Amino acid sequence: MTVNPDEDWNFYWASVTTVRSIFNPSNDHPRLTDNQVINHFPNHYELTRKDLMVKNIKRYRRELEKDGNLLAEKDDYGSYKYLDFIPVTYMMPADYNLFADDFRRDPNHTWIMKPAGRAQGKGIFLINKMSQIKKWSRDGKSVPSAAQPRETYVISKYIDNPLLIGGKKFDLRLYVLVTSFKPLKCYLYRLGFGRFCTVKYIPSTNDIDNMFVHLTNVSYQKQSEDYNSIHGGKWSIDNLRLYLEGTRGKKLTDRLFDEISWIIVHSLRAAAAVITSDRHCFECYGYDIIIDDNLKPWLIEVNASPSLTSTTANDRIMKFKLINDILNIVVPNGDIPDIRTKFSNSSSSPEVLGNFDVLYDEDQALCELNDKDFREQKARGGIVPLISKTGMPFGKTKQSSAWR
Ligand SMILES: Nc1ncnc2c1ncn2[C@@H]1O[C@H](COP(=O)(O)OP(=O)(O)OP(=O)(O)O)[C@@H](O)[C@H]1O
């Protein structure tokens, strides 16, 4: 759809395709006015395409490491101590040799192949033999041409020890609103949920073709004959949290949710270096997180257009609230937006935040670090000040307010 941004609108909830067209410099669109806000950043795909997200997080870690930043410290096995939150991932076919080396070192591990730019579980498959990837490589060779180049895939280490509830695998769908990347300001929604598989998880090598066991996407699970349309295979974060506190204890549960906040903030910081922080833009991302049975969270993917369709009555209420709460933050009081004072007036008061909590506000984080703390941190190796409003480093020592 082509849209003339000069039309009479102030707030646009657009598809990613429309946004691409609006920000495409070769299109003949007039510039957006100061009174127009839109729901995607121009190059959001730096975070929301699977391959680019991984590339940017890897670059972010490398840069911190080069700066001698303590955040990029590694353990004795060479893994990042604090920033090891994405499964080992390679681009295919570009990184084929690197992947092959890794595969040979640990030939019993299962890997998951995913087309970089698709969604809803489409085109995903699991492999645990080198012959399977060779076959994929051979089959693809006949297809690509200059006009239709080969689709990029990512291949990631499969998290084969997911935390199970009732014997089933699940992941978390969390909503994160970003109103600015530079400085970074982001909000976390309290009403996320767990999305469960319909079939019990059996970590057997024979079962790698049954995607009802392995993929938690609702769009996929809906096709299963075991799909329950009353609860839709979803469980609220509050209930999940209660369950985890009951089974694993409060301390470990708090730490898990702190680590999830940590992952979100650092993935956004990684993207902030390359995303155009256009002041007309805000974006609500759908974060997909898998928790393993050691209660370690892993970032699987960030979606630019998380589904707003509802599968159950509760879902409909939650999504209604989500849209309402986003609107209250980005268009406070229903006033005409003005990007010169973008979302600045009231966007942190509880009435405006609704079910959102400010997760990270770079402006505030920097201001609230007093000189002494800052100098001490610098002296300890130039650590980037990533400090919550309470003065505590995010995710490491105190439960962030977003989950209370
Ligand atoms: N490394 C992994 N380890 C274990 N499970 C994974 C891994 N990567 C993906 N999955 C499973 O596969 C599902 C689909 O993966 P992913 O979200 O990356 O693809 P998608 O098709 O883009 O889905 P979406 O519709 O959420 O955009 C995840 O929800 C998760 O259940």
Side-chain angles (χ1 to χ4, degrees):
M1 180 172 94
T2 34
V3 171
N4 184 351
D6 211 21
E7 279 170 13
D8 191 16
W9 60 269
N10 300 112
F11 176 91
Y12 202 146
W13 193 275
S15 72
V16 286
T17 320
T18 303
V19 169
R20 198 180 313 134
S21 145
I22 288 180
F23 287 109
N24 184 347
S26 60
N27 276 357
D28 199 15
H29 290 311
R31 289 160 65 90
L32 298 184
T33 70
D34 285 349
N35 301 116
Q36 292 183 313
V37 292
I38 190 159
N39 66 326
H40 294 286
F41 286 88
N43 58 344
H44 62 82
Y45 45 81
E46 293 284 352
L47 178 66
T48 58
R49 254 188 77 110
K50 296 176 182 51
D51 50 344
L52 296 179
M53 177 192 87
V54 169
K55 190 179 114 206
N56 285 318
I57 291 174
K58 285 184 180 174
R59 180 194 32 74
Y60 174 68
R61 296 191 301 206
R62 271 197 315 274
E63 281 172 8
L64 290 175
E65 206 176 337
K66 219 167 71 200
D67 291 348
N69 195 304
L70 290 182
L71 285 176
E73 255 182 16
K74 290 183 167 170
D75 63 18
D76 295 343
Y77 303 98
S79 298
Y80 288 97
K81 275 188 188 168
Y82 311 113
L83 297 175
D84 176 33
F85 57 76
I86 44 170
V88 172
T89 297
Y90 298 103
M91 311 307 149
M92 290 298 227
D95 293 340
Y96 179 84
N97 290 337
L98 289 173
F99 161 72
D101 287 348
D102 210 339
F103 189 91
R104 278 186 215 106
R105 274 194 295 273
D106 183 9
N108 295 323
H109 206 97
T110 300
W111 294 72
I112 183 165
M113 280 283 280
K114 304 189 278 186
R118 284 200 254 167
Q120 304 191 329
K122 291 184 187 126
I124 297 183
F125 57 95
L126 268 57
I127 66 143
N128 55 13
K129 291 192 190 69
M130 209 54 196
S131 56
Q132 292 160 313
I133 196 86
K134 284 189 179 144
K135 180 174 181 315
W136 172 83
S137 177
R138 262 197 320 271
D139 291 352
K141 274 200 179 118
S142 51
V143 184
S145 64
Q148 230 185 346
R150 179 158 205 184
E151 187 175 15
T152 302
Y153 267 69
V154 295
I155 187 160
S156 301
K157 258 197 163 157
Y158 188 66
I159 310 293
D160 57 4
N161 59 334
L163 177 68
L164 305 178
I165 297 184
K168 291 175 183 162
K169 176 177 170 177
F170 68 97
D171 73 355
L172 302 182
R173 165 54 60 88
L174 304 172
Y175 299 98
V176 175
L177 174 68
V178 176
T179 51
S180 163
F181 272 94
K182 289 187 197 91
L184 180 60
K185 181 147 188 189
C186 56
Y187 306 74
L188 179 58
Y189 207 54
R190 273 177 242 136
L191 310 184
F193 52 90
R195 311 182 296 181
F196 283 77
C197 286
T198 45
V199 177
K200 283 198 174 174
Y201 185 83
I202 306 143
S204 136
T205 46
N206 305 329
D207 223 8
I208 66 167
D209 293 330
N210 184 354
M211 291 301 147
F212 293 123
V213 175
H214 299 284
L215 304 191
T216 50
N217 315 53
V218 177
S219 48
Y220 192 81
Q221 294 293 336
K222 260 165 102 174
Q223 302 162 37
S224 163
E225 57 187 32
D226 297 315
Y227 178 74
N228 178 323
S229 56
I230 313 282
H231 56 64
K234 293 179 181 171
W235 220 22
S236 71
I237 285 284
D238 280 351
N239 282 340
L240 264 169
R241 193 166 185 135
L242 281 175
Y243 172 86
L244 289 174
E245 285 180 3
T247 50
R248 303 286 186 121
K250 183 156 177 9
K251 203 166 151 209
L252 285 182
T253 306
D254 284 352
R255 201 181 71 189
L256 164 69
F257 280 85
D258 273 355
E259 287 194 9
I260 292 173
S261 300
W262 174 265
I263 288 177
I264 295 169
V265 171
H266 282 287
S267 59
L268 292 172
R269 285 166 65 97
V274 285
I275 286 194
T276 311
S277 190
D278 189 307
R279 288 195 300 156
H280 298 92
C281 307
F282 68 92
E283 197 149 12
C284 178
Y285 297 105
Y287 266 73
D288 295 346
I289 307 260
I290 287 190
I291 305 167
D292 72 19
D293 60 7
N294 300 313
L295 285 203
K296 176 176 166 60
W298 295 92
L299 174 59
I300 298 299
E301 197 201 11
V302 183
N303 291 276
S305 297
S307 167
L308 293 175
T309 51
S310 44
T311 48
T312 65
N314 281 344
D315 212 24
R316 199 169 73 85
I317 296 168
M318 191 277 285
K319 283 176 179 156
F320 178 86
K321 285 186 186 162
L322 173 66
I323 296 171
N324 197 48
D325 290 343
I326 293 172
L327 279 170
N328 276 336
I329 292 177
V330 297
V331 197
N333 313 315
D335 290 342
I336 305 265
D338 184 342
I339 63 152
R340 289 164 301 184
T341 54
K342 191 182 176 191
F343 322 135
S344 63
N345 300 342
S346 50
S347 53
S348 292
S349 70
E351 308 82 61
V352 170
L353 290 177
N355 290 291
F356 276 107
D357 289 293
V358 177
L359 180 60
Y360 187 62
D361 182 346
E362 195 171 351
D363 267 349
Q364 285 233 18
L366 291 171
C367 313
E368 290 192 9
L369 247 198
N370 67 40
D371 271 2
K372 185 168 158 286
D373 289 345
F374 187 76
R375 272 200 313 276
E376 277 174 7
Q377 290 197 36
K378 277 281 198 202
R380 284 206 304 269
I383 196 164
V384 174
L386 180 56
I387 303 290
S388 72
K389 286 195 290 175
T390 53
M392 307 302 281
F394 266 107
K396 289 294 150 190
T397 49
K398 198 173 177 227
Q399 186 186 344
S400 83
S401 63
W403 300 109
R404 274 184 227 132

Coordinates of all heavy atoms in Angstrom, one line a residue, residues 41-82:
F41 N 10.4 1.9 13.6 CA 11.6 2.7 13.3 C 11.9 2.3 11.8 O 11.7 1.1 11.4 CB 12.7 2.4 14.3 CG 12.5 3.1 15.6 CD1 11.8 2.4 16.6 CD2 13.0 4.3 15.8 CE1 11.5 3.1 17.8 CE2 12.7 5.0 17.0 CZ 12.0 4.3 18.0
P42 N 12.6 3.2 11.1 CA 12.8 2.9 9.7 C 13.6 1.6 9.4 O 13.2 0.8 8.6 CB 13.6 4.1 9.2 CG 13.4 5.2 10.2 CD 13.0 4.5 11.5
N43 N 14.6 1.4 10.2 CA 15.4 0.1 10.0 C 15.3 -0.8 11.2 O 16.3 -1.3 11.7 CB 16.9 0.4 9.6 CG 17.5 1.3 10.7 OD1 16.9 1.9 11.5 ND2 18.9 1.3 10.7
H44 N 14.1 -1.0 11.7 CA 13.8 -1.8 12.8 C 14.3 -3.3 12.6 O 14.7 -4.0 13.5 CB 12.3 -1.9 13.1 CG 11.6 -2.5 11.9 ND1 11.5 -3.9 11.7 CD2 11.0 -2.0 10.8 CE1 10.8 -4.1 10.6 NE2 10.5 -3.0 10.0
Y45 N 14.5 -3.6 11.3 CA 14.9 -5.0 11.0 C 16.3 -5.3 11.5 O 16.7 -6.5 11.6 CB 14.8 -5.2 9.4 CG 15.4 -4.1 8.6 CD1 16.8 -4.0 8.4 CD2 14.6 -3.1 8.0 CE1 17.3 -3.0 7.7 CE2 15.1 -2.1 7.3 CZ 16.5 -2.0 7.1 OH 17.0 -1.0 6.4
E46 N 17.1 -4.3 11.9 CA 18.4 -4.5 12.5 C 18.2 -5.3 13.8 O 19.1 -6.0 14.3 CB 19.1 -3.2 12.8 CG 19.5 -2.5 11.6 CD 20.7 -3.1 10.9 OE1 21.4 -4.0 11.4 OE2 21.1 -2.6 9.8
L47 N 17.0 -5.2 14.4 CA 16.7 -6.0 15.6 C 15.7 -7.1 15.3 O 15.8 -8.2 16.0 CB 16.0 -5.0 16.6 CG 15.6 -5.6 18.0 CD1 16.8 -6.1 18.8 CD2 14.8 -4.6 18.8
T48 N 14.9 -7.0 14.3 CA 13.8 -7.9 14.1 C 14.0 -9.0 13.1 O 13.2 -9.8 12.9 CB 12.5 -7.2 13.9 OG1 12.6 -6.4 12.7 CG2 12.1 -6.3 15.1
R49 N 15.1 -8.9 12.3 CA 15.4 -10.0 11.4 C 16.4 -10.9 12.2 O 17.3 -10.4 12.8 CB 16.2 -9.4 10.2 CG 15.3 -9.5 8.9 CD 16.2 -9.1 7.7 NE 17.0 -10.2 7.3 CZ 16.8 -10.9 6.2 NH1 15.9 -10.6 5.4 NH2 17.6 -11.9 5.9
K50 N 16.1 -12.2 12.1 CA 16.9 -13.1 13.0 C 18.4 -13.0 12.8 O 19.2 -12.9 13.7 CB 16.5 -14.5 12.7 CG 15.0 -14.8 13.0 CD 14.7 -16.2 12.6 CE 13.3 -16.7 12.8 NZ 12.2 -15.8 12.3
D51 N 18.8 -12.9 11.5 CA 20.3 -12.8 11.2 C 20.9 -11.5 11.7 O 22.0 -11.5 12.3 CB 20.6 -13.0 9.7 CG 19.7 -12.2 8.8 OD1 18.7 -11.6 9.3 OD2 20.1 -12.0 7.6
L52 N 20.2 -10.4 11.5 CA 20.7 -9.1 11.9 C 20.8 -8.9 13.4 O 21.7 -8.3 13.9 CB 19.9 -7.9 11.2 CG 20.0 -7.9 9.7 CD1 19.2 -6.8 9.1 CD2 21.4 -7.8 9.2
M53 N 19.8 -9.4 14.1 CA 19.8 -9.3 15.5 C 21.0 -10.0 16.1 O 21.7 -9.5 16.9 CB 18.5 -10.0 16.1 CG 18.5 -10.0 17.6 SD 17.3 -11.1 18.3 CE 18.1 -12.7 18.4
V54 N 21.3 -11.2 15.6 CA 22.5 -11.9 16.0 C 23.7 -11.2 15.7 O 24.6 -11.0 16.5 CB 22.5 -13.4 15.4 CG1 23.8 -14.1 15.7 CG2 21.3 -14.2 16.0
K55 N 23.8 -10.7 14.5 CA 25.0 -9.9 14.0 C 25.2 -8.7 14.9 O 26.4 -8.5 15.4 CB 24.8 -9.5 12.6 CG 26.0 -8.9 11.9 CD 25.7 -8.5 10.5 CE 25.9 -7.0 10.4 NZ 25.2 -6.3 9.4
N56 N 24.2 -8.0 15.2 CA 24.3 -6.8 16.1 C 24.7 -7.1 17.5 O 25.5 -6.4 18.1 CB 23.1 -5.9 16.0 CG 23.0 -5.2 14.7 OD1 24.0 -4.7 14.2 ND2 21.8 -5.2 14.1
I57 N 24.1 -8.2 18.0 CA 24.5 -8.5 19.4 C 26.0 -9.0 19.5 O 26.7 -8.7 20.4 CB 23.5 -9.6 20.0 CG1 22.2 -9.0 20.2 CG2 24.1 -10.2 21.3 CD1 21.1 -9.9 20.6
K58 N 26.4 -9.7 18.4 CA 27.8 -10.2 18.4 C 28.7 -9.0 18.3 O 29.8 -8.9 19.0 CB 28.0 -11.1 17.2 CG 27.5 -12.5 17.4 CD 27.8 -13.4 16.2 CE 27.3 -14.8 16.4 NZ 27.5 -15.7 15.2
R59 N 28.3 -8.0 17.5 CA 29.2 -6.8 17.3 C 29.3 -6.0 18.6 O 30.3 -5.6 19.1 CB 28.6 -5.9 16.2 CG 29.4 -4.7 16.0 CD 28.7 -3.6 15.1 NE 27.3 -3.6 15.3 CZ 26.6 -3.1 16.3 NH1 27.3 -2.5 17.3 NH2 25.3 -3.1 16.4
Y60 N 28.1 -5.9 19.3 CA 28.0 -5.2 20.6 C 29.0 -5.8 21.6 O 29.7 -5.1 22.3 CB 26.6 -5.2 21.0 CG 26.3 -4.7 22.4 CD1 26.3 -3.3 22.6 CD2 25.8 -5.5 23.4 CE1 26.0 -2.8 23.9 CE2 25.5 -5.0 24.7 CZ 25.6 -3.7 24.9 OH 25.2 -3.2 26.1
R61 N 29.0 -7.1 21.7 CA 29.8 -7.8 22.6 C 31.3 -7.6 22.3 O 32.1 -7.4 23.2 CB 29.5 -9.3 22.6 CG 28.1 -9.6 23.1 CD 27.8 -11.1 23.4 NE 28.0 -11.9 22.3 CZ 27.4 -13.1 22.1 NH1 26.6 -13.5 23.1 NH2 27.6 -13.9 21.1
R62 N 31.6 -7.7 21.0 CA 33.0 -7.5 20.5 C 33.5 -6.1 20.9 O 34.6 -5.9 21.4 CB 33.1 -7.7 19.0 CG 33.4 -9.1 18.6 CD 33.9 -9.2 17.2 NE 33.2 -8.3 16.2 CZ 32.1 -8.7 15.6 NH1 31.6 -9.9 15.7 NH2 31.5 -7.8 14.8
E63 N 32.6 -5.1 20.7 CA 33.0 -3.7 20.9 C 33.3 -3.5 22.4 O 34.2 -2.9 22.8 CB 32.0 -2.8 20.4 CG 32.1 -2.6 18.9 CD 31.0 -1.8 18.3 OE1 30.2 -1.2 19.0 OE2 30.9 -1.8 17.0
L64 N 32.4 -4.0 23.2 CA 32.6 -3.9 24.7 C 33.9 -4.6 25.1 O 34.6 -4.1 25.9 CB 31.4 -4.5 25.5 CG 30.1 -3.8 25.4 CD1 29.0 -4.6 26.1 CD2 30.1 -2.4 26.0
E65 N 34.1 -5.7 24.5 CA 35.3 -6.5 24.8 C 36.6 -5.7 24.4 O 37.5 -5.6 25.2 CB 35.3 -7.8 24.0 CG 36.1 -8.9 24.7 CD 35.9 -10.2 23.9 OE1 34.9 -10.3 23.1 OE2 36.8 -11.0 24.0
K66 N 36.5 -5.1 23.2 CA 37.6 -4.3 22.8 C 37.9 -3.1 23.7 O 39.1 -2.7 24.0 CB 37.3 -3.7 21.4 CG 38.5 -3.8 20.4 CD 38.2 -3.5 19.0 CE 37.7 -2.1 18.7 NZ 37.0 -2.0 17.5
D67 N 36.8 -2.5 24.3 CA 37.0 -1.4 25.2 C 37.4 -1.9 26.6 O 37.5 -1.0 27.5 CB 35.6 -0.6 25.3 CG 35.3 0.1 24.1 OD1 36.1 0.2 23.2 OD2 34.1 0.5 23.9
G68 N 37.5 -3.1 26.8 CA 37.9 -3.6 28.1 C 36.8 -3.5 29.1 O 37.0 -3.5 30.3
N69 N 35.6 -3.5 28.6 CA 34.4 -3.3 29.5 C 34.1 -4.6 30.3 O 34.1 -5.7 29.7 CB 33.2 -2.9 28.7 CG 32.1 -2.4 29.5 OD1 31.6 -3.1 30.4 ND2 31.6 -1.2 29.2
L70 N 33.9 -4.5 31.6 CA 33.7 -5.6 32.4 C 32.5 -6.5 32.0 O 32.4 -7.7 32.2 CB 33.5 -5.2 33.9 CG 34.7 -4.7 34.6 CD1 34.4 -4.4 36.0 CD2 35.9 -5.7 34.5
L71 N 31.5 -5.8 31.3 CA 30.3 -6.5 30.9 C 30.7 -7.6 29.9 O 29.9 -8.6 29.8 CB 29.4 -5.5 30.2 CG 28.6 -4.5 31.0 CD1 27.8 -3.6 30.1 CD2 27.6 -5.3 31.9
A72 N 31.8 -7.4 29.2 CA 32.1 -8.4 28.2 C 33.1 -9.5 28.7 O 33.8 -10.2 27.9 CB 32.7 -7.7 27.0
E73 N 33.2 -9.6 30.0 CA 34.2 -10.6 30.6 C 33.8 -12.0 30.2 O 32.6 -12.3 30.1 CB 34.1 -10.5 32.1 CG 35.3 -9.8 32.7 CD 35.3 -9.8 34.2 OE1 34.5 -10.5 34.9 OE2 36.0 -9.0 34.8
K74 N 34.8 -12.8 30.0 CA 34.5 -14.2 29.7 C 34.9 -15.2 30.8 O 35.7 -14.8 31.6 CB 35.2 -14.6 28.4 CG 34.7 -13.9 27.2 CD 35.5 -14.3 26.0 CE 34.8 -13.9 24.7 NZ 35.6 -14.1 23.5
D75 N 34.2 -16.3 30.8 CA 34.6 -17.3 31.8 C 35.8 -18.2 31.3 O 36.3 -18.0 30.2 CB 33.4 -18.2 32.3 CG 32.8 -19.0 31.1 OD1 33.5 -19.2 30.1 OD2 31.7 -19.4 31.2
D76 N 36.1 -19.2 32.1 CA 37.3 -20.1 31.7 C 37.0 -20.8 30.4 O 38.0 -21.3 29.8 CB 37.6 -21.1 32.8 CG 38.0 -20.3 34.1 OD1 38.4 -19.2 33.9 OD2 38.0 -20.9 35.2
Y77 N 35.8 -21.0 30.0 CA 35.5 -21.7 28.8 C 35.3 -20.8 27.6 O 35.0 -21.2 26.5 CB 34.2 -22.5 28.9 CG 34.2 -23.5 30.1 CD1 33.7 -23.1 31.3 CD2 34.9 -24.7 30.0 CE1 33.8 -24.0 32.4 CE2 35.0 -25.6 31.1 CZ 34.4 -25.2 32.3 OH 34.5 -26.0 33.4
G78 N 35.5 -19.5 27.8 CA 35.5 -18.6 26.7 C 34.1 -18.0 26.4 O 33.8 -17.4 25.4
S79 N 33.1 -18.3 27.3 CA 31.7 -17.8 27.1 C 31.6 -16.5 27.9 O 32.2 -16.3 28.9 CB 30.7 -18.8 27.7 OG 30.7 -20.0 27.1
Y80 N 30.8 -15.6 27.3 CA 30.6 -14.3 28.0 C 29.9 -14.6 29.3 O 28.9 -15.3 29.4 CB 29.7 -13.4 27.1 CG 30.4 -12.9 25.9 CD1 30.3 -13.5 24.7 CD2 31.3 -11.8 26.1 CE1 31.0 -13.0 23.6 CE2 32.0 -11.3 25.0 CZ 31.9 -11.9 23.8 OH 32.6 -11.4 22.7
K81 N 30.4 -14.0 30.4 CA 29.8 -14.2 31.7 C 28.4 -13.6 31.8 O 27.5 -14.1 32.4 CB 30.7 -13.6 32.8 CG 31.8 -14.4 33.3 CD 32.4 -13.7 34.4 CE 33.7 -14.3 34.9 NZ 34.4 -13.4 35.9
Y82 N 28.2 -12.4 31.2 CA 27.0 -11.6 31.4 C 26.2 -11.5 30.1 O 25.0 -11.0 30.2 CB 27.3 -10.2 32.0 CG 28.2 -10.3 33.2 CD1 29.5 -9.7 33.1 CD2 27.8 -10.9 34.4 CE1 30.3 -9.8 34.2 CE2 28.6 -10.9 35.4 CZ 29.9 -10.4 35.4 OH 30.7 -10.4 36.4

